Amino acid sequence: MSSIFAKKVQNLESCRKHVGTKAVTLSNRPLEIQLEVTNMCNIWCTMCATTYDGSRTERGRTGHMPLETLENLKGILPYVSRCYVFGNGEPLLHPHFLDFVRIISEYAVDIQFNTNGTLLNQKMRERLIASKVGTITFSIDGATKGTYESIRVGAKFGTVVDNIKALSQLKREKGQKTPHVGIAMVAMRQNIHEFPAMVTLAADIGAEYVHLEPLIWQGDPVYMKYYDEHDLSNLNPRELASILDEAKK
C-alpha cells in the first residue's frame, strides 16, 4: 500500500510542476477519473436530458459498463486520487456496482458518487460503509413530498428520506466518519422556495452539506421549452436573494 501512496504523491507533484510552468501538455497520469458505470435509471426526472432524447429507447438508457473495463484502468488506478463512479444513470442499478467499488478501493482511491437514493436498502448500506466509500451525494429536488415527487417522477420522498436517515444512523453506530453524506438540489422555479427547508431537512437526516446547482442547458432544442419555463433567470433577484439568505441563516 505504501508504494501506491508513493505513486499518488509522485503523480500529484508531477501535475503541480507542469501546471506551474503553464505547460500545454501534461505528462502526469490523471488525478481524478469518472466512470459512468450505467446510463440506465429507475425514475424519470423532469429536468433530465434523457427525458427529452427521443432517439434512445427505454427512457434514453442503453446499458451497464462491463466490470472488465477496470482491467484497462489498472495501469492508472495506483496514481489516481479520486474516482467518481456515476454519470447520467443511477449507479446503484448496476448489478456489479459494489464490485466496482471494491476493486477501485484496493488502490486507495477516494470513491464518490451521486445517487437518487431509492435503492439504498439495508444490505447496500452495510456494504457501502464497509467498503470505505468517501462521499455519497443524494439528489433531492424538493423538501416536501409534493414538490419532490412532481420532479423526480417514480421516486417516493418518504423512502429516500428514510434510506438516508438509516445510512447516517448505521454510520454512527459503527463509529465511522465515512461515507460523508450530502444533498444536491437542482434549483428551479418550482422548488427554489423550498431551499431553506432543504437545509433543515439535510441536517435532520444526517447530511453534512447541501449543494445547490443551476438548471443546466442540455443542448437539445426539444429541452428549450422546459428550460425557459423553469430556469431562475426570470425570477425576481430580490426574491432569490431573500431565499438564499434564509437558507444561509
Side-chain angles (χ1 to χ4, degrees):
M1 187 63 72
S2 60
S3 63
I4 289 179
F5 282 115
K7 289 179 179 179
K8 294 184 191 301
V9 171
Q10 180 186 29
N11 194 40
L12 178 59
E13 290 303 318
S14 174
C15 179
R16 285 175 174 166
K17 175 183 176 181
H18 290 292
V19 170
T21 60
K22 298 183 179 180
V24 176
T25 302
L26 306 182
S27 62
N28 61 282
R29 293 172 174 83
L31 301 180
E32 299 183 354
I33 59 175
Q34 179 164 3
L35 302 179
E36 186 180 46
V37 294
T38 185
N39 62 1
M40 300 182 72
C41 195
N42 59 327
I43 63 176
W44 189 302
C45 299
T46 59
M47 70 294 189
C48 182
T50 56
T51 301
Y52 295 87
D53 190 348
S55 66
R56 298 179 182 176
T57 59
E58 297 182 1
R59 297 185 174 182
R61 285 66 166 183
T62 56
H64 301 310
M65 175 183 287
L67 183 62
E68 292 74 22
T69 301
L70 286 181
E71 289 294 326
N72 301 327
L73 298 176
K74 288 187 175 180
I76 65 171
L77 283 174
Y79 300 90
V80 170
S81 297
R82 179 173 297 155
C83 179
Y84 299 97
V85 195
F86 75 102
N88 282 333
E90 168 50 46
L92 299 188
L93 269 179
H94 198 300
H96 299 296
F97 178 75
L98 290 170
D99 292 317
F100 273 96
V101 169
R102 174 182 54 79
I103 294 171
I104 294 170
S105 66
E106 292 174 357
Y107 294 87
V109 177
D110 174 30
I111 299 173
Q112 302 188 13
F113 66 92
N114 285 31
T115 174
N116 60 38
T118 60
L119 304 175
L120 195 69
N121 57 33
Q122 178 66 21
K123 180 180 179 181
M124 183 68 72
R125 292 192 291 268
E126 291 274 2
R127 294 188 64 181
L128 286 174
I129 289 177
S131 65
K132 309 293 185 182
V133 167
T135 302
I136 303 176
T137 302
F138 293 90
S139 298
I140 303 181
D141 299 306
T144 62
K145 172 182 172 66
T147 300
Y148 172 86
E149 293 184 3
S150 70
I151 297 171
R152 295 196 159 257
V153 179
K156 299 298 182 183
F157 180 73
T159 298
V160 173
V161 168
D162 288 346
N163 287 347
I164 300 173
K165 281 183 179 178
L167 175 67
S168 299
Q169 177 63 32
L170 185 60
K171 190 174 68 169
R172 288 194 296 270
E173 291 173 356
K174 293 183 176 295
Q176 288 192 200
K177 294 182 178 180
T178 57
H180 297 293
V181 174
I183 303 297
M185 177 179 178
V186 177
M188 296 177 282
R189 292 184 205 176
Q190 77 236 62
N191 68 358
I192 189 61
H193 62 284
E194 293 188 1
F195 184 49
M198 180 65 74
V199 175
T200 300
L201 174 65
D204 290 344
I205 61 180
E208 300 166 56
Y209 63 88
V210 178
H211 172 68
L212 184 68
E213 59 187 68
L215 185 64
I216 299 175
W217 168 245
Q218 306 287 352
D220 186 342
V222 181
Y223 185 74
M224 185 179 297
K225 184 176 184 294
Y226 183 90
Y227 181 85
D228 289 342
E229 291 176 351
H230 295 83
D231 180 54
L232 297 181
S233 59
N234 292 326
L235 191 68
N236 185 300
R238 290 185 179 180
E239 181 182 356
L240 179 58
S242 176
I243 292 172
L244 297 179
D245 285 343
E246 183 181 352
K248 289 177 182 179
K249 291 176 183 178

